[in-house]
């Protein structure tokens, strides 16, 4: 059987790298980073004609193949409702790859990928359609010797998660006979606690929990993965990571974009469902969790669940003390005039869907008692930024007070998730000269200077390798919904004045968000 990409070192039209083996597993070395090459696989993408597949999944697969991270035997089968031949699907994907990599599209690499790229139309509601899909999968598995290892990626609207999952199970595709069978589910996992429980039950009716990969692509970003390494591998920080030394924590995810083509979904979701239930709460758990006894998926996920269970329920009778919501009006972003949310296509002219939220959260455990966590996220804000900032307490006694006209800023540790992934630390140092004068100094590390996988590459690779560390467990999904659902229900019932829109596009958000943190004598980090 011919095998694509054989050879050591890797082929010239792939990135610089070398395949090595330890006798049992095979690795590729890239920029001092050694990554295990997964076993042969068959990847089945539901929703293969859609935007997510073309913009994210296929470009990630192309880069993985470019980096030498594919086994010799693999096959990718796209499927959707759209009628399309293998050739038409390959042409569609080729155009997308060329657009995604305009400066380094490799025709030779593309030929090797396209020979393993196929398409089969499927009716998501019809079991017979899945029986035909099963026959195609088994035929391709036999031809390309993938060992029975299957990954089902649901790049489809949430409304069809249940029928697709049920039919995969009913025709026997979820059974692990020779190899593994994994399913990847994009967020949202439900719209509230009850719908999340229902979807989890459907998933578990066809797959065991160890086969289910509930994806949150934020968790696959390098800085997010590095939070645990940074905390638990550096003895100078972990002893300070508690209520004695930390004044408060801020988690910010801001976007300059509006809702764009996602307005139909966003009108039903709003910012709390879209960002807080998954992305931001997951960042919170990684920041606040205790050290697991071993660095393995289940023990890490156990500690994250403990954090969620320790979060103080929101005081719904004093909701303005813990939550602020907003919606953007017209304004300017990067010098260009943009419309307000209510003027976006497919948005109701009187919509009260929040596009911004800020929350104050307390974790009632020994480590964090009394330390507020301020969370904020919004669309059409001043800058695109995602970061976790740890604000340490000020020095208890300033011995320089008589020689200085003003105080000094407390130390701040910032873990940047996007766009410039990295870690920085502000500390005080003396300005050269005879007079006593302090000035903040920045220590900064950027991941842009080193090799790293992007979020979808990491998610796909971990799923191929059977590593669930970066994926959310069923109890984590349900616990976060249990915390947020009462708050969302109260807000949607009209507890807040409907003064939308209450912030200009291109600003840092509504004034009430500044007041939320300002009541405590603190301020948000500037966007």
């Amino acid at each position: 059987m011919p095998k694509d990409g054989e050879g050591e070192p890797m082929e010239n039209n792939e990135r610089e790298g070398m395949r090595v083996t330890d006798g049992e597993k095979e690795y590729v070395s890239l920029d001092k980073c050694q990554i295990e090459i997964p076993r042969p696989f068959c990847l089945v993408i539901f929703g293969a004609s859609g935007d997510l597949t073309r913009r994210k999944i296929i470009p990630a697969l192309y880069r993985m193949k470019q980096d030498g991270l594919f086994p010799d035997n693999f096959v990718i089968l796209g499927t959707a409702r759209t009628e399309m031949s293998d050739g038409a699907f390959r042409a569609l994907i080729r155009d997308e790859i060329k657009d995604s990599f305009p400066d380094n599209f490799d025709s030779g690499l593309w030929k090797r990928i396209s020979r393993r790229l196929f398409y089969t139309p499927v009716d998501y509601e019809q079991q017979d359609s899945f029986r035909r899909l099963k026959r195609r999968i088994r035929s391709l598995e036999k031809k390309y010797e993938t060992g029975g290892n299957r990954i089902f990626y649901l790049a489809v609207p949430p409304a069809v998660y249940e029928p697709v999952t049920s039919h995969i199970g009913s025709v026997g595709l979820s059974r692990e006979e020779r190899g593994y069978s994994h399913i990847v589910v994009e967020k949202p996992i439900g719209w509230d606690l009850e719908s999340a429980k229902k979807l989890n039950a459907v998933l578990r009716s066809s797959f065991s929990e160890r086969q289910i990969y509930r994806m949150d692509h934020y968790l696959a970003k390098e800085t997010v993965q590095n939070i645990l390494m940074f905390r638990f591998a550096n003895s100078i920080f972990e002893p300070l990571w508690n209520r004695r030394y930390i004044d408060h924590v801020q988690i910010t995810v801001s976007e300059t974009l509006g809702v764009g083509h996602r307005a139909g979904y966003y009108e039903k979701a709003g910012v709390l469902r879209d960002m807080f239930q998954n992305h931001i709460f997951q960042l919170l758990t990684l920041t606040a969790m205790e050290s697991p006894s071993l660095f393995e998926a289940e023990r890490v996920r156990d500690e994250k669940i403990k954090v969620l269970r320790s979060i103080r329920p929101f005081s719904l009778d004093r909701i303005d003390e813990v939550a602020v919501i907003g919606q953007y009006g017209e304004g300017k972003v990067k010098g260009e005039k943009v419309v307000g949310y209510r003027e976006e296509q497919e948005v109701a002219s009187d919509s009260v869907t929040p596009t911004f939220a800020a929350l104050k959260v307390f974790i009632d455990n020994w480590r964090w008692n009394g330390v507020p966590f301020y969370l904020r996220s919004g669309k059409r804000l001043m800058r695109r930024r995602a970061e976790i900032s740890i604000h340490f307490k000020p020095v208890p006694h300033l011995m320089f007070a008589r020689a200085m006209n003003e105080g000094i800023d407390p130390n701040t540790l910032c873990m940047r998730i996007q766009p410039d992934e990295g870690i920085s630390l502000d500390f005080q140092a003396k300005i050269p000269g005879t007079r006593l004068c302090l000035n903040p100094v920045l220590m900064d590390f950027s991941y842009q200077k080193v090799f790293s996988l992007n979020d979808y590459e990491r998610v796909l690779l971990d799923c191929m390798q059977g590593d669930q560390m970066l994926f959310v467990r069923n109890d984590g999904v349900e616990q976060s919904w249990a915390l947020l659902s009462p708050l969302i229900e109260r807000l949607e019932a009209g507890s807040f004045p409907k003064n939308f829109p209450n912030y200009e596009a291109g600003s840092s958000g509504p004034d009430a968000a500044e007041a939320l943190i300002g009541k405590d004598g603190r301020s948000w980090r500037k966007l």
Side-chain angles (χ1 to χ4, degrees), residues 142-158:
K142 182 178 180 180
K143 181 177 181 180
Y144 293 104
E145 300 176 2
T146 58
N149 297 317
R150 301 166 185 162
I151 300 169
F152 301 101
Y153 198 119
L154 303 193
V156 293

Side-chain angles (χ1 to χ4, degrees), residues 46 67 78 87 109 158 208 220 241 243 300 310 326 381 393 459 481:
F46 290 89
D67 289 334
L109 175 63
S208 66
W241 214 266
R243 69 187 187 278
V300 169
S310 299
L381 296 176
K393 291 184 177 181
V459 163
W481 274 124

Side-chain angles (χ1 to χ4, degrees), residues 264-280:
Y265 156 76
Y266 205 88
E267 267 287 83
K268 299 175 183 177
V271 67
L272 287 165
R273 289 188 177 92
D274 187 49
M275 293 299 298
F276 283 77
Q277 184 274 330
N278 41 78
H279 298 331
I280 293 181

Side-chain angles (χ1 to χ4, degrees), residues 3-7 9-15 112:
K3 296 180 179 181
D4 296 341
E6 265 188 340
M10 287 159 48
E11 299 182 33
N12 291 333
N13 52 0
E14 296 183 9
R15 299 183 189 209
R112 293 198 300 280

Side-chain angles (χ1 to χ4, degrees), residues 251-300:
I251 300 177
T252 295
V253 180
S254 65
E255 301 176 273
T256 56
L257 296 175
V259 290
H261 64 279
R262 298 174 68 234
Y265 156 76
Y266 205 88
E267 267 287 83
K268 299 175 183 177
V271 67
L272 287 165
R273 289 188 177 92
D274 187 49
M275 293 299 298
F276 283 77
Q277 184 274 330
N278 41 78
H279 298 331
I280 293 181
F281 267 30
Q282 288 300 312
L283 297 179
L284 171 63
T285 59
L286 287 170
T287 305
M289 63 180 273
E290 298 295 328
S291 171
S293 57
L294 288 175
F295 188 65
E296 60 180 33
E298 286 311 300
R299 301 201 188 194
V300 169

Side-chain angles (χ1 to χ4, degrees), residues 61 347 409 417-418:
L61 292 168
V347 173
D409 294 330
I417 299 165
Q418 66 180 25

